[in-house]
Amino acid sequence: MSRPRIVIVGAGFAGYRTARTLSRMTRGRAHITLLNPTDYFLYLPLLPQVAAGVLEPRRVTVSLSDTLPDVRLVLGEADRIDLDGQTLHYTGPEGDGGTLAYDRLVLAAGSVNKLLPIPGVAEHAHGFRGLPEALYLRDHVTRQVELAAAADDPGSCAARCTFVVVGAGYTGTEVAAHGQMFTDAQVRKHPLRQGMRPRWMLLDVAPRVLPEMDEKLSTTADRVLRQRGVDVRMGTSVKEATPDGVVLTDGEFVETRTLVWCVGVRPDPLVESLGLPMEKGRLLVDPHLQVPGRPELFACGDVAAVPDLDKPGSYTPMTAQHAWRHGKVAAENVAASLGLGGTRKPYRHRDLGFVVDLGGAKAAANPLGVPLSGVPAGAVTRGYHLAAMPGNRVRVAADWLLDAVLPRQAVQLGLVRSWSVPLDTSSPELARVPGGPERRQEEGARSGPGAAIAADTHGGGTGAGSSGGRAGEEPAKGQPGSGAAQAQPGSGTAQRRSEEELAKGRPAAEPARNWPTDEPAKGPVGGRSAKGRPGGESAKGRSGGEPAGNQPGGEPAKNQPGGESAKGQSGGEPARNQPGGEPARNQPGGEPAKGQPGGEPARNQPGPTPQPPADQPPPGPGTAPGPVKRSDAPDDSAKGDS
């Protein structure tokens, strides 16, 4: 008898716990496959400490292969689920498609950044849901402080040293608290020329910090933030974002180069494509985490609306604590449905309290309902994180110890650029990279500011309209394949998207100011692309000038169809190296031809600069330095980011 096939989508708190519990329960009696874009589980609560330089990035990641030895890991993102055929279509990290058949499917795809219809946010803000975003923020903050220290203009210095965090929930509060400590430590070692101090602002429309938590926790966190120098403004948010700053809802304009978006999350839009009953973007399930009418389908974590049996009529909130416990119950119920042990159990959870790490020895915690602050809260908070982490406990504890006795290394590695971590993406765990696979999507689905804003402003969750495609990266205007999106295997039929959606948050013709440096070079790398190149102007033979006469977008060459006939051709003057004409300049007795060895290079021909291989696009804004192919280009969202 063949073993049953179990497929789990997502390796967040819910998916990882489901896979680990199922592996222990089934003991090889089932094929367990885990589909995830990365090969690690990310411990999100410690991500602010990565951005502040307390922990190294690998400390908050746990290898899936090492900790789930009996689970098959498939790298990729789910595109489409055929419920009747019990198959799942996915796209791998290199653009190749694949299909997984299943007898039981567990959806634990997690959540993505939540957007609001605020002008400029999608272009100029960055989220905080994945490791690439944390690495980008650490480099960006370090760079801004260093540039501010070297700036002669007090206004520029103040703008670079102002950091705005929107959202005073769990994540935003920790980012602001750790960020203020991080920048203050930098300035103590290297004071700013104008004697200024870095300024962190925490904004939220809620009446208090941590509005979803106990009021005592909120009061403690607010007090610590204000004592540390954070400008806490409740009842205030962003009205508009620009490259030079933000307009607040009270009318004030704040000059800044940093906008961190922590207003909340929305369920991964994958579940919308199923056409099943939803609750504010989450898939409705019964107390056993099973989708009604679909005995083979389970859902848990942020994508599932799980009834709260202790509060009839409500659903469990989208927190890591609930997702972790969802995973265990889902695994037990999947195993029971296959006759592999155990009995079905409904999900019940008693609140064990929350902990908020505010940096240093400061924290706010209420374990088992007992409110704590100061050093005791800090000890409880870090003890809880060590106990909850499925790995790397010794390494994390060692980093904490070293941070307590040694100064932090404030260096920018430049590994993640602004355009690599757009705010509106369905894959915050992945950074956009040069040469990455171009993947299309359906209208209103996985990515694009227009789609996400519509999703977040209708029904409190994701909007109407299903998607068969995972968030892709459509080509910029003028790129091959632009216009109507092209379908990829397993993604369904792609449709044309509006120009506004294509323009926002997409790689554009003009390079980001921080790719590869603050100001684009006027030469081949980082300069303006050619008019004959997709999306820009060409140099006379190089980038940055008029199009060559024989290049697309320029006048036809005189010896090309549609142009004047070449001298020596029918209807024209005889060529200089033909009988009756002057000798050719590169022939014996003549001057060397311009563009031939020994002569002046032709005006519209490449100069002596070495050319890339034939299978690589020419240098320009869409090509990274070095022999790396690139299919997308930096977008305008990086303007203002140095």
Side-chain angles (χ1 to χ4, degrees):
M1 181 177 178
S2 62
R3 293 182 293 173
R5 300 161 299 181
I6 304 172
V7 174
I8 304 167
V9 179
F13 280 91
Y16 180 85
R17 186 78 182 277
T18 301
R20 192 172 73 168
T21 306
L22 272 173
S23 176
R24 293 173 178 174
M25 292 186 67
T26 59
R27 298 183 181 277
R29 292 176 292 167
H31 287 288
I32 304 173
T33 301
L34 179 61
L35 177 68
N36 198 58
T38 64
D39 64 350
Y40 59 80
F41 159 76
L42 176 64
Y43 190 75
L44 272 170
L46 292 181
L47 207 55
Q49 298 191 29
V50 174
V54 178
L55 296 176
E56 288 301 311
R58 286 186 297 176
R59 304 294 185 258
V60 299
T61 61
V62 177
S63 171
L64 298 177
S65 300
D66 291 347
T67 56
L68 302 174
D70 297 325
V71 176
R72 176 195 175 203
L73 173 64
V74 175
L75 293 178
E77 297 178 82
D79 289 329
R80 181 167 56 88
I81 299 172
D82 182 357
L83 294 177
D84 295 329
Q86 295 192 187
T87 55
L88 181 149
H89 302 270
Y90 69 92
T91 300
E94 296 183 350
D96 52 321
T99 303
L100 296 173
Y102 62 84
D103 296 303
R104 294 292 184 273
L105 177 64
V106 181
L107 293 178
S111 55
V112 298
N113 292 312
K114 182 179 182 180
L115 292 184
L116 298 177
I118 300 175
V121 166
E123 293 81 6
H124 305 297
H126 292 281
F128 204 80
R129 290 292 301 165
L131 195 56
E133 293 170 322
L135 293 176
Y136 164 75
L137 183 61
R138 185 173 69 176
D139 275 5
H140 173 76
V141 169
T142 303
R143 181 165 58 251
Q144 295 306 309
V145 174
E146 292 171 349
L147 291 173
D152 294 324
D153 177 27
S156 175
C157 179
R160 292 189 183 280
C161 281
T162 300
F163 308 94
V164 179
V165 180
V166 184
Y170 184 94
T171 302
T173 299
E174 288 198 340
V175 168
H178 282 277
Q180 185 74 65
M181 288 190 65
F182 182 47
T183 52
D184 282 350
Q186 286 183 264
V187 173
R188 278 196 298 270
K189 290 186 294 183
H190 306 286
L192 300 180
R193 185 171 300 178
Q194 288 78 17
M196 297 180 180
R197 183 190 179 191
R199 174 193 183 195
W200 284 77
M201 297 182 65
L202 181 61
L203 312 177
D204 202 309
V205 293
R208 59 185 175 90
V209 174
L210 301 174
E212 70 278 7
M213 297 186 184
D214 183 82
E215 190 169 352
K216 291 183 179 179
L217 278 181
S218 174
T219 302
T220 299
D222 187 273
R223 183 180 66 252
V224 171
L225 290 172
R226 294 182 188 274
Q227 289 175 348
R228 197 165 287 168
V230 177
D231 186 358
V232 180
R233 298 195 187 184
M234 295 296 97
T236 306
S237 188
V238 172
K239 183 179 180 181
E240 181 182 0
T242 71
D244 300 319
V246 294
V247 180
L248 305 184
T249 51
D250 59 9
E252 180 184 353
F253 180 76
V254 178
E255 291 191 29
T256 181
R257 302 292 185 270
T258 308
L259 180 59
V260 187
W261 194 253
C262 303
V263 297
V265 295
R266 59 189 173 99
D268 192 300
L270 171 67
V271 295
E272 286 186 346
S273 64
L274 301 178
L276 297 173
M278 311 282 289
E279 172 63 29
K280 294 184 178 181
R282 295 197 281 174
L283 192 62
L284 278 172
V285 297
D286 61 21
H288 301 92
L289 308 182
Q290 193 170 28
V291 177
R294 291 284 178 178
E296 78 285 357
L297 183 60
F298 293 77
C300 54
D302 290 349
V303 298
V306 182
D308 189 338
L309 299 182
D310 295 329
K311 300 177 182 178
S314 62
Y315 301 92
T316 58
M318 297 165 62
T319 65
Q321 191 176 114
H322 279 291
W324 185 250
R325 289 159 178 79
H326 284 176
K328 182 175 184 295
V329 175
E332 292 172 347
N333 290 339
V334 167
S337 70
L338 293 171
L340 298 177
T343 58
R344 292 209 317 159
K345 299 178 181 178
Y347 177 74
R348 286 183 179 274
H349 171 62
R350 185 169 66 91
D351 187 3
L352 301 179
F354 288 91
V355 294
V356 181
D357 192 320
L358 301 175
K362 300 295 181 67
N366 62 345
L368 301 176
V370 180
L372 298 175
S373 61
V375 176
V380 169
T381 298
R382 296 201 168 184
Y384 169 80
H385 287 316
L386 287 179
M389 288 193 70
N392 291 347
R393 295 186 181 95
V394 174
R395 290 186 172 94
V396 169
D399 274 6
W400 282 340
L401 178 61
L402 291 175
D403 181 67
V405 298
L406 296 175
R408 298 180 196 174
Q409 292 180 296
V411 295
Q412 47 168 323
L413 302 178
L415 300 178
V416 182
R417 293 295 185 178
S418 175
W419 59 269
S420 300
V421 283
L423 176 64
D424 185 14
T425 174
S426 65
S427 301
E429 63 271 21
L430 295 176
R432 192 178 290 176
V433 295
E438 292 183 358
R439 303 197 344 252
R440 281 46 170 187
Q441 66 210 3
E442 294 189 36
E443 182 178 6
R446 319 285 300 171
S447 184
I453 291 173
D456 288 328
T457 53
H458 290 84
T462 49
S466 64
S467 162
R470 186 78 178 171
E473 288 151 6
E474 295 189 352
K477 293 182 183 178
Q479 292 288 346
S482 62
Q486 299 176 9
Q488 293 295 321
S491 63
T493 304
Q495 301 176 5
R496 184 184 300 273
R497 302 181 64 214
S498 67
E499 288 190 4
E500 180 181 0
E501 286 177 314
L502 286 171
K504 290 184 179 179
R506 294 295 173 195
E510 185 175 347
R513 291 184 180 177
N514 64 341
W515 173 262
T517 56
D518 297 330
E519 292 291 332
K522 294 183 179 179
V525 180
R528 299 176 68 86
S529 57
K531 276 185 181 175
R533 306 288 177 202
E537 295 184 1
S538 72
K540 294 184 178 181
R542 303 296 296 171
S543 58
E546 298 178 12
N550 58 350
Q551 296 298 325
E555 295 179 22
K558 293 186 177 181
N559 59 345
Q560 298 298 326
E564 294 180 28
S565 56
K567 295 180 180 181
Q569 300 298 327
S570 303
E573 294 180 22
R576 293 185 177 178
N577 61 344
Q578 297 298 326
E582 290 181 30
R585 294 188 178 181
N586 61 344
Q587 297 298 327
E591 224 175 293
K594 296 180 179 181
Q596 297 297 327
E600 186 180 340
R603 291 183 182 178
N604 63 340
Q605 296 299 325
T609 305
Q611 298 300 307
D615 61 343
Q616 179 173 325
T623 307
V628 181
K629 293 185 180 180
R630 174 171 175 145
S631 58
D632 61 349
D635 58 27
D636 286 335
S637 66
K639 286 187 176 181
D641 176 354
S642 302

